[in-house]
Amino acid sequence: GECDDSSGQVMCDCDAGYHADGLTCVSGTACTPTLTETGWHQLTLKPGYSIGSRDRIVVRGDLAYLFVKRSLVVLDITVPDSPQELSVTEDILDGNQGGVAVANGYAYVFDTGSLGTTRGLNVWDLSDPAAPAFVRTVAPSSTINQTYHAEIQGGFLYASVSTLGLDIWDLSTPDNPTRRGTMQACPSFHQQVVPLGTQVLVTCYHNGGHPDAHYGWNTVDVTDPDNPVPVATFDSALSG
């Protein structure tokens, strides 16, 4: 099969199993790749635990870190079709897991619960994958509950905090991060963060009640991490 976009519209004539990178066929049959399972691993978790929308998988080199229902699972994926479980650390949080990020041998896990001693940004030492070690909980003066997403770039951690804004954390001391700047990048809910050099893209969601709910994004200049500055805005409700 083949796809032709010379007319300005993608026209696909796909044979069975043809991969067209997500493009669709005019016949209505999707041009999707044929996926083959190469291996799987049954996680050792508490009864009743299953992976949900707040759970995360972070891959660094030959290791995969799974943050599942307040547990941290470390897998050796050197042989992709036969992952090996190195450790399972249960109850790493008192509350609910929010955004997570991994860099330089440390895991940064936000506890978004309203109660408990781990509420805030939790730091875990991953230098020994077989025995992750808790370091500390960093709790800023203002609330950071409902931290949805976190990413790391250039020694800084960027986190989206529900209706409160974009938070910037300094990781120059990896085991003891400090919060530098924060700003209200979205008019309502902050969702995903994408670091792009000196700027960070923040996706936004406004739930004004159906059918008024709409999405958008803002770009923020983070050249000065203490004073982030908005650069551009896109709102689907205003795009026509």
Side-chain angles (χ1 to χ4, degrees):
E2 61 182 6
C3 293
D4 178 16
D5 62 356
S6 60
S7 65
Q9 292 183 324
V10 178
M11 306 293 287
C12 297
D13 181 14
C14 302
D15 296 329
Y18 182 76
H19 180 200
D21 295 329
L23 304 177
T24 55
C25 303
V26 293
S27 64
T29 303
C31 297
T32 55
T34 300
L35 301 179
T36 303
E37 181 181 287
T38 60
W40 70 285
H41 178 80
Q42 178 67 49
L43 297 179
T44 306
L45 297 173
K46 288 183 177 180
Y49 276 16
S50 61
I51 295 179
S53 61
R54 288 292 186 92
D55 300 321
R56 300 289 185 269
I57 299 175
V58 180
V59 176
R60 293 291 181 267
D62 293 329
L63 297 176
Y65 304 93
L66 284 66
F67 300 87
V68 184
K69 303 300 181 187
R70 297 196 296 273
S71 295
L72 167 58
V73 181
V74 183
L75 298 177
D76 184 336
I77 55 173
T78 305
V79 182
D81 60 355
S82 182
Q84 302 298 312
E85 190 174 285
L86 299 180
S87 62
V88 177
T89 308
E90 295 183 333
D91 299 322
I92 65 172
L93 302 174
D94 294 332
N96 300 316
Q97 175 188 297
V100 301
V102 175
N104 303 317
Y106 290 91
Y108 303 93
V109 188
F110 287 91
D111 183 339
T112 66
S114 59
L115 300 173
T117 60
T118 65
R119 181 173 181 264
L121 173 56
N122 294 268
V123 183
W124 283 77
D125 186 339
L126 304 177
S127 56
D128 182 359
F134 174 73
V135 178
R136 62 171 50 87
T137 297
V138 181
S141 57
S142 61
T143 180
I144 61 170
N145 68 319
Q146 297 303 311
T147 299
Y148 289 133
H149 186 225
E151 292 287 348
I152 293 173
Q153 177 184 272
F156 291 94
L157 183 152
Y158 302 95
S160 60
V161 189
S162 185
T163 59
L164 300 179
L166 168 68
D167 275 359
I168 303 174
W169 293 80
D170 189 333
L171 303 181
S172 54
T173 304
D175 65 348
N176 191 18
T178 57
R179 193 167 70 167
R180 297 282 294 273
T182 186
M183 73 162 294
Q184 186 79 22
C186 300
S188 51
F189 292 97
H190 301 69
Q191 293 193 312
Q192 305 293 308
V193 290
V194 182
L196 301 168
T198 60
Q199 296 184 354
V200 174
L201 185 148
V202 184
T203 63
C204 309
Y205 171 65
H206 173 67
N207 184 7
H210 184 77
D212 298 322
H214 56 274
Y215 296 85
W217 52 257
N218 284 340
T219 52
V220 179
D221 188 321
V222 292
T223 304
D224 180 357
D226 295 311
N227 297 288
V229 178
V231 176
T233 299
F234 171 80
D235 190 328
S236 63
L238 304 177
S239 62

